[in-house]
Amino acid sequence: MTVSGGNDEKMFEEVCSTNFLEFSFGNRSYSEQIADAVRKTKNHCAVTVYLKELKHSNKSLRVVWVQHDFGFLGGSLGCAEGEKVTRAFEYATAQKMAIIVACKTGGARMQEGTLSLMQMAKVSVAVESQRRARLPFVSILEDPTYGGVSASYAMQADVKIATKGVRIGFAGPGVILNTMFEMDQAAYDAACPNEFQSAEFCREHGALDLVLNEHSELESTVFGICMALLGKKSFSSLSLPAVVKYQAPTAEEMAKEPDYAASRAITRPQYADFRDALFYGYIELSGDGQVGSDPCIKGGVAFLHVSNDTDFPCIVIGCGKGHTPGEMQAHNYGMPSPAGYRTAKRLMEMADRFHLPIITFVDTCGAWPSFRAEEAGQSEAIATNLRIMAGLAVPMITMVIGEGGSGGALGLAMGNRLGMLSQAYYGVISPEGAASILGRYKDEKHKLEQFPQDCYALAKAQNIYAYQLRDLGVVDQVVYEDSHETYNNFPQTLARLAKFLQDALIELSTLKPEQLVEQRYAKYRALGKFIEMDTEQRQATLRKLESEVSTKKARPVKPDTTPCRLVTYLANQVLHSERARFMGLAPPKVPTISPQAPAVENVSTKAITAKSILDAQGPQAMAKWVRSQERVLLTDTTMRDAHQSLLATRVRTIDLVQGAKAANTLLCDAFSFECWGGATFDVAYRFLNEDPWDRLRQIRAACPNVCLQMLIRGANAVGYTSYPDNVVVRFVELAAKNGMDIFRIFDCFNDLNQMKTCIDAVRKTGKVAECCVCYTSDITTSSVYNAEYYTNLAKELCDAGAHTIAIKDMAGLMKPSGVVPILNAIRAGAGDDIPIHFHTHCTSSASLAVAMEMTRQGCDIIDFAIASMADLTSQPSLNAFCAAMAGMPRDPKINYLALEPLDVYWMKVREMYAPFETGMLSGSARVYDHEIPGGQYANLFVQCKSMGLGDRWEEVLDAYRDVNQLFGDIVKVTPSSKCVGDLALFLINKNLKAFDILDPEKNKKY
């Protein structure tokens, strides 16, 4: 960072580096190195100290600025550097100034031996002196900051700042690679965390307060921090927050009965809304300063405008939630982790050191209940905060603005003054939690009716509302809300809250530090209601209780039927061990040995393919190449969707890999092989006892020349739940690393928000993000799923970063008449440059005709399966399509006869897996009625048989259709299709119809 300017004054230039050890190694002396560095940098030391004037708006601030020069022996810390930094701190302390140290260094200087190491200790004592003097120290970590500087004063600052992409750490990557991995780069890469030792990584792990986008932001940010920590008024030229004139609450507002459920409404103003409306100059300081950061508890320095001549620099802390499902998930639903409480602790201690008032906003259902939180010491983190707050010698004001959930709320709430919004609550347990413990219900129907009433009754009985807590002495003031206001506009609520904060600050600012501690002690010491009894009274009460005979019958204790570990082990041995009598009971005449791999000569090719373009030039170039092709391109789904649709996904890795080797040669011109994802991932683990990652690596090795493709369910990845973003991102990274090229991304409701994380993660790996438009109903007749719907969806996907668009016709509902409308709709939204990829199923037997119409109308890529694994609920026949298209425009140029070895191989494989067939002998146009996805059909049939409902399959098909209508004619693909299928099976098993669920007169035991 450049610091020199017209008003900057260099200091301590007389301190210079010298070779006091007469160090020399490898025919080069340290003296020569110093001389070279001096010639290069025009400095005699790697550190320069300035008296610098920071300016922002119409304000200025004189600070001591220390700058490392990486050009001087890598900015390393030697004796001269340590002396200069120490003198800089001593000067700042003596002159009561802030100090800023810009670090850019490889660490301590080895040419000066142990004395260079001692500079870390030398500077540290000077840092502590500045700290005791309650003067600000800000460190700026530039690229790179490693070793002894990182492990001393760079990380000892009150506030630590970096810009994006800066590398920070103690041991550099080369040291770790050599010391811990013995120069095994592959092992290092596999173990190395994402963005390791980057500024972003350090901030995520609590080591940095701020990561700025640009260097240009540094000076204004440092200025704001120093002004706040020095207790000075800042940024007077900035527009102050607009707060309307205070109006006293109306009688109606004061009489409004509180509702604990209203405190959770996402339309309510939350911490971030109040903070941005009340304060100016806010700078967020992140992390616990050690190893963690928290998505919920956020805080930093800010200024509260009280009057024309009075502004309070302060520390503001609060619990964030969010106003949308995505925002709520990003804030962990307002549940703080131990890192959050420790972040608050660090900020409170900073406020105490710099004599700044603290304002906390509480809105949490409670502390995060999780394994990770308990491992990280949730109880200790909250307990420590209570002790810290008890001893703060600065004013602390707490405002409960929404939920005040138990100890998780109290961990931020021991203010000298405690205010509470009128519709908030603050209690030891949520009303639902209390009702779950204390409520007694005859059956589920009774619980459904009584439970909500019990929650409201217990909320009032526990005195959790603001007016009740005011009467108990917990709350000092109720801040009445305007019930018509939302987070988009809340002027009256804001004005009343602002008045409470301003009045409290003005009052508390007149108290001395020891008085603030005493006042807080008296406030919380006085809380509690109890009676006192002498010895005689206690004995009399005990005798009375003992003499009373209870007429209540003891409740029968429900026996614990959980099997012990021994029973579980024995059951597994009986059912699954090598000696189990159930082993080897496959149906007769079914082959149990895998067929031999096709005898195909592996011919190396230098032809230009989608794979070669992707590897050499990237996904955009590949998409452009696809659009330039005159022939239609093909994807072979045999290794994924075909066997998922026909054989319940049960094909093993050994059979897939043998087929893959042949396909690599016979289908070398294919666009891609779909071979992974979807249901294959969990089936490999649950039923085949195989490693899906190993499967991917083996198929990659067998098919080096063709793109591998997978199906990924957006936020659901390859599972059936919505995973955290970091799980999805890491999954994509590992899939790409293990050989995946094309990620077909979809969401079961075509919700882009559920796909965006996955799209971004794929793009970051340099692989292809193929985003799906899930097709359902009939585009030519549907009033919902019409051309406009698909046009808008395609545009959203392109804007989100799709490289290609896939039309995912899960059930094979597309008809030839729908081809032109769907292609026109996609092109209208996506434009002409993005390739379109069509996927369908043959359940109706019409899909080969649809595929040929797609080809005639300009679709770029179409999915097929090898003939012996095609049709029925699978994809159309690849062999038949190639034969039919021979000599026609857009001929795929693949000889169907050359595919015969692969076709014969898969015919033998399919015979071996015959027990998993659905029994479906032909296609059925009935799919246009029930709309079951082809990939679900086989699995649903297996489920049906396993439940003893095989003879009622026709009823299941009707139930599936009716449940879909009951749900509102939804897009059906995993996991939404599974919800429809599971409920259909449940209803048939209970002899119920779908619409019986809506009939209050029916006896529904479900």
Side-chain angles (χ1 to χ4, degrees):
M1 178 178 181
T2 303
V3 299
S4 58
N7 296 324
D8 296 342
E9 174 187 341
K10 288 187 178 181
M11 305 175 68
F12 315 124
E13 292 185 274
E14 65 276 11
V15 180
C16 306
S17 297
T18 182
N19 186 8
F20 60 88
L21 291 179
E22 298 183 1
F23 181 89
S24 180
F25 186 79
N27 297 322
R28 182 166 170 77
S29 73
Y30 177 37
S31 298
E32 292 173 318
Q33 292 178 291
I34 294 174
D36 288 345
V38 171
R39 279 190 290 269
K40 179 180 178 182
T41 65
K42 312 306 180 190
N43 290 319
H44 292 267
C45 173
V47 163
T48 305
V49 180
Y50 299 88
L51 275 180
K52 179 176 174 60
E53 188 173 28
L54 300 180
K55 293 183 178 180
H56 188 79
S57 187
N58 63 342
K59 293 280 185 178
S60 63
L61 178 68
R62 197 84 162 149
V63 299
V64 177
W65 190 288
V66 179
Q67 182 73 46
H68 277 257
D69 184 351
F70 196 76
F72 194 103
L73 294 173
S76 54
L77 176 63
C79 291
E81 290 75 17
E83 180 64 22
K84 271 196 173 183
V85 176
T86 300
R87 290 189 187 185
F89 271 98
E90 290 171 343
Y91 183 89
T93 304
Q95 299 300 316
K96 302 188 183 310
M97 299 173 70
I99 185 169
I100 291 85
V101 180
C103 306
K104 189 171 187 178
T105 171
R109 189 174 299 167
M110 65 183 73
Q111 295 93 329
E112 296 189 14
T114 305
L115 279 183
S116 67
L117 178 68
M118 291 301 105
Q119 302 312 300
M120 297 164 60
K122 176 179 181 176
V123 176
S124 295
V125 297
V127 170
E128 179 58 23
S129 180
Q130 175 89 350
R131 185 182 183 88
R132 287 197 307 272
R134 303 175 186 268
L135 294 168
F137 167 28
V138 178
S139 64
I140 299 171
L141 285 72
E142 300 184 303
D143 190 32
T145 299
Y146 277 109
V149 173
S150 173
S152 58
Y153 52 90
M155 288 296 177
Q156 292 168 345
D158 300 302
V159 179
K160 300 175 282 293
I161 307 174
T163 53
K164 282 188 174 181
V166 169
R167 294 165 295 170
I168 302 164
F170 180 60
V175 174
I176 299 172
L177 173 64
N178 183 42
T179 305
M180 303 307 299
F181 293 90
E182 297 178 340
M183 300 307 293
D184 185 339
Q185 188 68 52
Y188 174 90
D189 291 341
C192 184
N194 189 38
E195 296 185 326
F196 181 58
Q197 291 189 331
S198 67
E200 294 80 359
F201 179 89
C202 291
R203 184 181 185 276
E204 181 182 348
H205 290 82
L208 286 179
D209 288 280
L210 286 164
V211 176
L212 303 178
N213 292 320
E214 302 291 342
H215 268 292
S216 58
E217 302 174 43
L218 276 171
E219 187 164 327
S220 62
T221 302
V222 170
F223 178 85
I225 291 168
C226 291
M227 290 292 282
L229 297 185
L230 288 168
K232 297 185 178 182
K233 184 175 178 180
S234 179
F235 311 150
S236 60
S237 67
L238 289 182
S239 58
L240 298 173
V243 178
V244 301
K245 185 178 180 182
Y246 169 81
Q247 291 182 6
T250 64
E252 180 184 357
E253 289 171 336
M254 295 176 68
K256 182 177 175 60
E257 187 68 21
D259 177 357
Y260 75 88
S263 70
R264 302 168 179 163
I266 61 175
T267 56
R268 285 176 63 82
Q270 297 176 3
Y271 161 56
D273 306 309
F274 285 124
R275 181 196 66 208
D276 294 344
L278 285 167
F279 299 89
Y280 70 95
Y282 173 71
I283 300 174
E284 186 169 297
L285 305 179
S286 177
D288 63 6
Q290 298 174 32
V291 296
S293 62
D294 183 62
C296 172
I297 292 181
K298 303 292 184 183
V301 296
F303 294 82
L304 179 67
H305 181 67
V306 177
S307 63
N308 290 335
D309 58 352
T310 307
D311 285 11
F312 279 101
C314 56
I315 294 291
V316 58
I317 306 167
C319 306
K321 276 189 175 178
H323 295 297
T324 67
E327 289 177 357
M328 291 175 70
Q329 184 180 29
H331 288 87
N332 200 30
Y333 303 96
M335 296 184 292
S337 69
Y341 290 109
R342 292 179 181 127
T343 299
K345 168 182 172 289
R346 185 174 73 90
L347 293 173
M348 290 178 200
E349 290 176 329
M350 179 185 292
D352 203 31
R353 191 164 64 254
F354 291 105
H355 299 301
L356 299 178
I358 301 166
I359 300 174
T360 61
F361 293 85
V362 175
D363 186 10
T364 175
C365 60
W368 186 29
S370 69
F371 297 127
R372 285 174 54 192
E374 293 303 311
E375 288 172 355
Q378 188 74 284
S379 296
E380 181 278 331
I382 296 172
T384 300
N385 274 19
L386 302 186
R387 179 181 57 78
I388 293 295
M389 288 186 287
L392 290 171
V394 295
M396 181 174 178
I397 304 168
T398 295
M399 189 70 206
V400 180
I401 58 174
E403 294 186 271
S406 192
L410 183 60
L412 294 178
M414 284 177 58
N416 296 86
R417 291 288 182 271
L418 178 60
M420 192 168 172
L421 290 184
S422 55
Q423 290 297 313
Y425 81 86
Y426 189 10
V428 70
I429 189 171
S430 70
E432 292 89 348
S436 297
I437 296 170
L438 301 177
R440 298 292 180 265
Y441 310 106
K442 294 181 292 186
D443 50 35
E444 287 299 314
K445 181 179 180 181
H446 180 224
K447 182 177 181 180
L448 190 65
E449 297 171 352
Q450 188 62 37
F451 186 79
Q453 300 175 39
D454 288 349
C455 290
Y456 281 103
L458 283 165
K460 198 164 186 178
Q462 286 188 300
N463 282 228
I464 66 173
Y465 292 127
Y467 75 92
Q468 296 172 315
L469 294 172
R470 178 190 57 199
D471 295 342
L472 290 172
V474 176
V475 170
D476 296 299
Q477 184 173 325
V478 178
V479 177
Y480 289 94
E481 306 173 47
D482 185 326
S483 60
H484 303 294
E485 294 181 343
T486 68
Y487 72 93
N488 289 315
N489 187 29
F490 49 101
Q492 282 306 321
T493 303
L494 180 66
R496 292 165 187 169
L497 177 53
K499 186 176 188 305
F500 166 72
L501 294 179
Q502 292 166 353
D503 291 349
L505 265 180
I506 292 171
E507 178 189 352
L508 294 173
S509 65
T510 64
L511 299 182
K512 297 177 180 179
E514 61 272 17
Q515 291 175 316
L516 289 165
V517 177
E518 291 169 0
Q519 186 273 338
R520 195 180 298 113
Y521 180 92
K523 174 180 174 60
Y524 292 97
R525 177 64 180 85
L527 295 178
K529 302 291 184 180
F530 51 88
I531 62 171
E532 294 185 356
M533 295 189 291
D534 59 27
T535 303
E536 184 178 340
Q537 289 172 318
R538 295 196 302 273
Q539 290 175 347
T541 302
L542 181 59
R543 286 193 298 269
K544 180 182 178 182
L545 293 173
E546 289 176 339
S547 66
E548 294 176 352
V549 179
S550 175
T551 58
K552 295 182 180 180
K553 294 183 179 179
R555 271 187 160 188
V557 179
K558 188 176 180 179
D560 183 3
T561 58
T562 305
C564 66
R565 288 191 294 176
L566 177 60
V567 171
T568 302
Y569 172 79
L570 292 174
N572 282 324
Q573 290 297 305
V574 170
L575 294 173
H576 303 303
S577 74
E578 294 178 358
R579 295 179 292 280
R581 69 182 183 87
F582 301 97
M583 299 298 289
L585 296 183
K589 298 183 180 179
V590 173
T592 57
I593 300 176
S594 297
Q596 290 186 345
V600 176
E601 184 177 355
N602 190 10
V603 179
S604 62
T605 176
K606 295 185 179 179
I608 297 176
T609 64
K611 174 67 173 169
S612 66
I613 296 291
L614 175 63
D615 288 349
Q617 302 178 47
Q620 285 85 1
M622 192 207 74
K624 185 177 180 180
W625 176 83
V626 169
R627 288 292 290 147
S628 71
Q629 298 302 294
E630 295 182 357
R631 62 189 175 103
V632 66
L633 299 177
L634 310 181
T635 289
D636 179 13
T637 67
T638 305
M639 290 186 282
R640 208 284 299 174
D641 203 18
H643 78 88
Q644 178 173 323
S645 300
L646 296 174
L647 306 174
T649 330
R650 295 308 199 272
V651 177
R652 299 169 301 167
T653 298
I654 185 174
D655 302 313
L656 294 170
V657 172
Q658 290 194 146
K661 292 177 180 177
N664 186 60
T665 297
L666 299 177
L667 287 170
C668 59
D669 287 335
F671 172 74
S672 65
F673 296 151
E674 191 190 46
C675 62
W676 209 59
T680 64
F681 198 90
D682 72 290
V683 169
Y685 279 128
R686 293 170 59 200
F687 298 109
L688 304 181
N689 197 27
E690 291 188 346
D691 180 358
W693 296 101
D694 183 61
R695 172 183 293 186
L696 174 57
R697 288 188 288 269
Q698 289 193 49
I699 293 176
R700 175 79 284 169
C703 301
N705 303 324
V706 181
C707 286
L708 298 187
Q709 179 175 311
M710 74 167 291
L711 186 68
I712 184 165
R713 302 165 182 148
N716 301 119
V718 288
Y720 302 95
T721 188
S722 183
Y723 295 107
D725 288 355
N726 62 324
V727 174
V728 175
V729 170
R730 187 60 175 152
F731 178 89
V732 168
E733 291 171 353
L734 291 174
K737 186 174 183 178
N738 282 276
M740 190 52 60
D741 299 301
I742 300 170
F743 293 75
R744 178 174 283 174
I745 306 164
F746 77 95
D747 176 74
C748 66
F749 294 123
N750 284 331
D751 184 354
L752 177 61
N753 291 328
Q754 301 300 314
M755 302 164 65
K756 189 65 171 69
T757 295
C758 192
I759 294 170
D760 293 342
V762 172
R763 289 181 64 88
K764 192 172 182 180
T765 66
K767 301 298 184 179
V768 178
E770 181 172 275
C771 301
C772 289
V773 170
C774 292
Y775 181 85
T776 192
S777 192
D778 187 336
I779 190 174
T780 64
T781 61
S782 176
S783 60
V784 176
Y785 305 107
N786 51 25
E788 182 181 4
Y789 172 84
Y790 293 110
T791 295
N792 293 336
L793 182 56
K795 184 178 186 306
E796 289 178 2
L797 294 176
C798 283
D799 292 343
H803 295 119
T804 63
I805 296 287
I807 303 171
K808 183 173 172 57
D809 180 17
M810 304 79 62
L813 303 180
M814 180 69 71
K815 301 171 185 174
S817 61
V819 169
V820 171
I822 190 68
L823 288 179
N824 287 344
I826 300 299
R827 285 275 172 242
D832 293 327
D833 295 331
I834 195 162
I836 298 178
H837 194 159
F838 178 61
H839 170 87
T840 190
H841 290 258
C842 269
T843 316
S844 69
S845 297
S847 295
L848 185 59
V850 175
M852 296 187 71
E853 181 65 9
M854 279 282 180
T855 304
R856 282 192 289 270
Q857 299 302 329
C859 183
D860 302 287
I861 315 160
I862 303 179
D863 285 2
F864 297 91
I866 205 72
S868 52
M869 290 290 288
D871 300 323
L872 300 180
T873 54
S874 179
Q875 280 67 58
S877 167
L878 174 63
N879 309 53
F881 180 80
C882 291
M885 289 297 297
M888 295 181 66
R890 306 200 70 219
D891 179 358
K893 307 295 185 184
I894 295 176
N895 183 356
Y896 73 96
L897 289 175
L899 302 178
E900 282 302 297
L902 194 58
D903 188 27
V904 172
Y905 169 76
W906 278 107
M907 179 178 65
K908 295 176 181 178
V909 170
R910 183 170 177 177
E911 183 182 7
M912 184 169 62
Y913 292 94
F916 298 100
E917 294 268 8
T918 64
M920 188 177 181
L921 300 178
S922 66
S924 171
R926 189 175 178 181
V927 70
Y928 296 120
D929 179 51
H930 58 66
E931 300 186 353
I932 298 177
Q936 184 187 20
Y937 200 102
N939 288 294
L940 188 64
F941 185 74
V942 170
Q943 280 182 273
C944 182
K945 289 199 298 183
S946 71
M947 295 174 66
L949 302 174
D951 59 339
R952 302 180 68 183
W953 178 240
E954 299 298 313
E955 294 177 58
V956 173
L957 297 181
D958 287 338
Y960 192 101
R961 173 201 62 211
D962 295 341
V963 169
N964 175 47
Q965 292 304 314
L966 181 69
F967 284 178
D969 190 17
I970 62 172
V971 179
K972 293 168 291 302
V973 60
T974 306
S976 64
S977 57
K978 191 174 189 310
C979 297
V980 179
D982 287 354
L983 182 54
L985 288 172
F986 178 88
L987 292 173
I988 296 301
N989 193 42
K990 295 291 185 181
N991 294 311
L992 293 169
K993 299 291 186 182
F995 289 91
D996 287 347
I997 293 175
L998 303 179
D999 188 349
E1001 301 303 316
K1002 294 284 184 180
N1003 180 24
K1004 302 183 290 295
K1005 296 181 179 179
Y1006 59 88

